[in-house]
Amino acid sequence: MDPILTTNILNVVYEVSTLAVVVLGLAVVFGLLGVMNLAHGEFVMIGAYCAFFVQSENLPFLAAVPLALLVCALLGLVVERVLVRPLYARPFDTLLATWGLSMLLREAVEAVYGRGFKSVATPLTDSVDVLGAGYPAYRLLLTAVSIALVAGLVWWFVRSATGRRIRAVVDNPELAASVGIPVTALARNTFVFGCCLAALAGVMLAPLLPVNPTLGLDFILKSFFVLVVGGLGSLVGLISGSGVIGGVEGVVSAVSDRTWGYTTVLVIAILFLWLRPNGLFPRT
């Protein structure tokens, strides 16, 4: 196979799989709680800064994973209890509240680290030969981990008792509460889980991105595009939306540049909002 074609295919798979991980936390929170967390990108940003902090302290890169999960779990607990829980029945107010939270988090990080770009060293610097094309080992690892993570979470959601409780709450929260399902605790844990997934994505992607306080803005926009295309509150929609947005951006960026790639997915999202507002796989 032509090495350039192989590289482009691997880039598309990388874009789709990592985007699915970023969007997964947002999709889980929206699917159960009906909350579009506009601060989701800032939790990705905090995860990336945790990776930078670990590097600056000369600690192993993997130490950033428990640190990011702990920081974002604690922050998610506070945000859910103080900000989100009182607004569950008011989706527009939740949008405004989480938008304000996103600005607050950006300003807080900027006050500590400044506006400048930070870099995180790549844990794996080698390249791997794939069908005659040299491809960065860390990107391959990230792709494999992302696919395994999404597949594992989908399997858990479909097969586990907790997944069945979540689906029951999504379908009918009043009936779920009447049969003894702890709806409030499940909602809290789901929100925290979504924040932790965003933090994990931030740690994973930090070595490949310029880390700065506005890093999360791009991710929240792409996540919104994925949910618009795939359908809100649907795991199948999450995967299909990630495939469309990540795949199109990867292909167009390879043919032209990233600016045209981003412009193309923006046009696709607008067309879906206009012609198919419920996405490819709306929740029924």
Side-chain angles (χ1 to χ4, degrees):
M1 183 180 291
D2 180 49
I4 296 178
L5 178 60
T6 301
T7 300
N8 288 335
I9 291 174
L10 291 173
N11 283 338
V12 169
V13 176
Y14 161 79
E15 291 281 354
V16 172
S17 58
T18 54
L19 183 58
V21 173
V22 172
V23 181
L24 187 57
L26 184 66
V28 167
V29 170
F30 184 86
L32 177 59
L33 309 180
V35 173
M36 181 62 73
N37 179 15
L38 292 185
H40 183 77
E42 276 58 49
F43 283 95
V44 177
M45 178 263 293
I46 290 172
Y49 269 99
C50 286
F52 173 74
F53 173 80
V54 163
Q55 176 182 271
S56 66
E57 296 296 320
N58 296 316
L59 296 172
F61 177 77
L62 287 178
V65 174
L67 175 62
L69 294 179
L70 176 62
V71 169
C72 287
L74 294 175
L75 182 59
L77 279 171
V78 174
V79 170
E80 192 278 336
R81 182 65 185 88
V82 175
L83 192 65
V84 175
R85 189 181 300 180
L87 302 176
Y88 277 148
R90 296 151 59 186
F92 182 72
D93 291 344
T94 306
L95 279 175
L96 292 178
T98 55
W99 176 61
L101 174 65
S102 69
M103 292 191 294
L104 178 62
L105 292 176
R106 286 198 299 273
E107 293 296 327
V109 171
E110 185 178 316
V112 176
Y113 289 104
R115 294 185 178 181
F117 292 98
K118 311 294 182 183
S119 61
V120 177
T122 306
L124 298 175
T125 57
D126 298 334
S127 295
V128 176
D129 185 87
V130 181
L131 299 177
Y135 199 77
Y138 185 69
R139 279 194 171 222
L140 283 176
L141 176 62
L142 207 57
T143 301
V145 170
S146 298
I147 293 173
L149 181 61
V150 172
L153 288 173
V154 170
W155 180 88
W156 171 84
F157 181 78
V158 173
R159 301 300 297 270
S160 71
T162 303
R164 289 192 290 272
R165 293 190 187 99
I166 291 174
R167 295 198 298 276
V169 172
V170 170
D171 292 337
N172 194 324
E174 292 80 11
L175 181 60
S178 69
V179 297
I181 295 177
V183 175
T184 301
L186 195 61
R188 178 196 64 225
N189 295 341
T190 299
F191 187 84
V192 173
F193 181 66
C195 295
C196 289
L197 280 176
L200 180 60
V203 172
M204 293 164 56
L205 293 170
L208 304 176
L209 299 169
V211 179
N212 66 93
T214 62
L215 179 149
L217 292 175
D218 184 48
F219 284 113
I220 190 62
L221 287 174
K222 285 185 181 179
S223 299
F224 177 72
F225 294 162
V226 168
L227 295 182
V228 165
V229 171
L232 297 173
S234 165
L235 282 174
V236 177
L238 161 69
I239 296 170
S240 62
S242 299
V244 172
I245 296 300
V248 168
E249 184 177 20
V251 170
V252 175
S253 297
V255 173
S256 180
D257 56 41
R258 295 199 70 86
T259 300
W260 277 108
Y262 192 84
T263 302
T264 304
V265 299
L266 174 60
V267 171
I268 290 174
I270 292 172
L271 289 174
F272 266 84
L273 282 172
W274 180 27
L275 301 174
R276 195 181 177 94
N278 291 327
L280 292 172
F281 295 95
R283 187 175 68 199
T284 56

